[in-house]
Amino acid sequence: MRKYVQPYMDYLQEDKGSSVSTLESYKRDIEQFIGYMDREQHADAEAHEITRTHIVLYLSFLKKEGKAASTIARNVVSLRSFFHYLMFKGFVSKDPTYHLDSPKTEKNPPKILSISEVDRLLDIPDTSIPSGLRDKAMLELLYATGIKVSELVHLNVEDLNTDLKYVRTGRDSAKERVIPVTGIAARATTEYLESARSKLLRAHAEEQALFVNTNGSRLTRQGIWKMIKKYAEEAGLVGGGITPHTLRHSFAAHLLENGADLRSVQEMMGHADISTTQIYNQVVKRNMKDVYDHYHPRA
């Protein structure tokens, strides 16, 4: 079954134009399922030998491991897509995920920071050192554009234009988009490029990544998550589990709060379905009700 994973990844990237984050997520889920089959069920199982029972047992295993319903649902999507591909290519004659139900997930409202909380977070990095200039630029860029952390780490220097104030993401997929950048984020990134990046690169002068670690290599998603967690704690924002996605959520909500139209926010966020963007409208309305209840003398 492993022999089909990379061809499937190539198919998603080249034929479907899937994003880097989608590719990574699907590959991780499928490889974990194959590992489970090797350990628990049938080592070196061929794709045509996989049955619905195998899939159901695997999902039960994930549940026993304490995985969230959203994680299990994502695994169903990943496996369903993989076996659809195998059916399409004629590698299997039956789809073991056919009519397989996904667990119901509760959609919690996204965590949104207030504007003052964003300001506190973005002011934490120590800009007197190269890594601090880098972190300041990354935080400003995340909040200015609403891009995902997976998109941020794949940015190259050529993808950012600080003069015209825009960033291009998803250049290698059908989901490429160009997003405006605030003047503050453009200045922070320019300062990083001019004063810090070359010091971080060390012997890796050929590295094309926009943001690099102290060894001169492209930063990872895990590294950025740890960085934001540290700064959130220093800013006193420890109550809600601040992640890179929190800045993405805040970007969308603050735009809508200040009068941006839903379609423009949808395009900047890269949402295929506008219903996904409408979630932020609901958050904004809920926040308005909280403000009203708190400040109106007769509320």
Side-chain angles (χ1 to χ4, degrees):
M1 190 156 47
R2 279 188 173 83
K3 63 186 177 184
Y4 298 122
V5 176
Q6 190 54 52
Y8 171 61
M9 292 295 112
D10 295 338
Y11 166 77
L12 288 180
Q13 183 175 21
E14 297 168 8
D15 292 24
K16 294 295 186 179
S18 298
S19 67
V20 171
S21 59
T22 297
L23 294 173
E24 291 175 347
S25 175
Y26 278 26
K27 185 176 183 180
R28 181 174 60 250
D29 292 343
I30 293 164
E31 288 182 339
Q32 286 178 352
F33 170 68
I34 294 172
Y36 164 82
M37 289 297 297
D38 287 346
R39 292 190 315 272
E40 307 288 339
Q41 297 291 327
H42 183 7
D44 300 321
E46 292 294 337
H48 68 270
E49 297 177 298
I50 303 300
T51 66
R52 179 187 177 88
T53 301
H54 290 131
I55 305 290
V56 171
L57 286 173
Y58 176 61
L59 299 179
S60 298
F61 166 77
L62 292 178
K63 187 174 182 179
K64 290 177 182 176
E65 288 286 297
K67 302 298 183 184
S70 57
T71 300
I72 298 174
R74 191 199 64 224
N75 273 267
V76 172
V77 172
S78 300
L79 292 173
R80 183 178 288 137
S81 176
F82 181 52
F83 281 100
H84 282 185
Y85 162 78
L86 296 178
M87 284 276 291
F88 172 67
K89 291 294 185 179
F91 298 134
V92 299
S93 58
K94 294 181 180 180
D95 179 3
T97 67
Y98 184 65
H99 280 175
L100 189 67
D101 294 329
S102 297
K104 293 183 179 179
T105 59
E106 293 184 8
K107 290 189 175 180
N108 297 319
K111 169 71 178 177
I112 305 295
L113 297 177
S114 67
I115 294 175
S116 63
E117 287 174 329
V118 171
D119 288 340
R120 275 161 48 199
L121 178 65
L122 271 55
D123 284 342
I124 290 294
D126 180 2
T127 54
S128 66
I129 57 176
S131 61
L133 283 172
R134 177 203 62 199
D135 295 349
K136 170 74 170 176
M138 285 195 299
L139 290 172
E140 291 285 358
L141 199 58
L142 282 170
Y143 179 59
T145 61
I147 60 176
K148 301 174 183 177
V149 67
S150 57
E151 295 172 320
L152 181 76
V153 298
H154 284 93
L155 289 179
N156 288 340
V157 175
E158 64 181 2
D159 295 322
L160 178 70
N161 190 313
T162 55
D163 293 328
L164 298 180
K165 298 184 180 63
Y166 73 82
V167 66
R168 180 185 64 181
T169 183
R171 63 186 179 279
D172 296 328
S173 74
K175 298 181 180 179
E176 179 177 344
R177 64 191 195 279
V178 175
I179 309 169
V181 173
T182 63
I184 294 174
R187 288 192 295 273
T189 314
T190 297
E191 189 173 2
Y192 156 69
L193 288 171
E194 292 179 349
S195 305
R197 186 174 179 274
S198 60
K199 296 176 183 176
L200 296 171
L201 281 174
R202 300 179 184 273
H204 299 271
E206 73 288 351
E207 177 60 67
Q208 297 300 305
L210 176 59
F211 294 111
V212 296
N213 58 29
T214 52
N215 294 321
S217 303
R218 186 182 296 270
L219 268 172
T220 63
R221 290 190 304 169
Q222 293 82 358
I224 297 176
W225 276 66
K226 290 178 182 178
M227 177 268 291
I228 290 183
K229 181 180 179 181
K230 177 175 76 76
Y231 287 143
E233 290 174 351
E234 292 178 18
L237 305 174
V238 295
I242 309 303
T243 71
H245 232 62
T246 307
L247 288 173
R248 176 172 164 83
H249 294 322
S250 302
F251 160 83
H254 293 169
L255 282 177
L256 292 170
E257 272 183 336
N258 287 284
D261 67 277
L262 201 61
R263 288 290 181 186
S264 295
V265 176
Q266 176 194 7
E267 185 173 347
M268 285 184 277
M269 295 287 281
H271 291 156
D273 191 333
I274 199 168
S275 64
T276 307
T277 319
Q278 287 173 332
I279 294 172
Y280 300 106
N281 249 346
Q282 297 168 10
V283 173
V284 169
K285 290 177 181 177
R286 189 178 68 250
N287 288 348
M288 287 175 60
K289 180 68 166 57
D290 292 341
V291 170
Y292 180 87
D293 289 342
H294 184 76
Y295 290 105
H296 195 288
R298 292 184 179 271

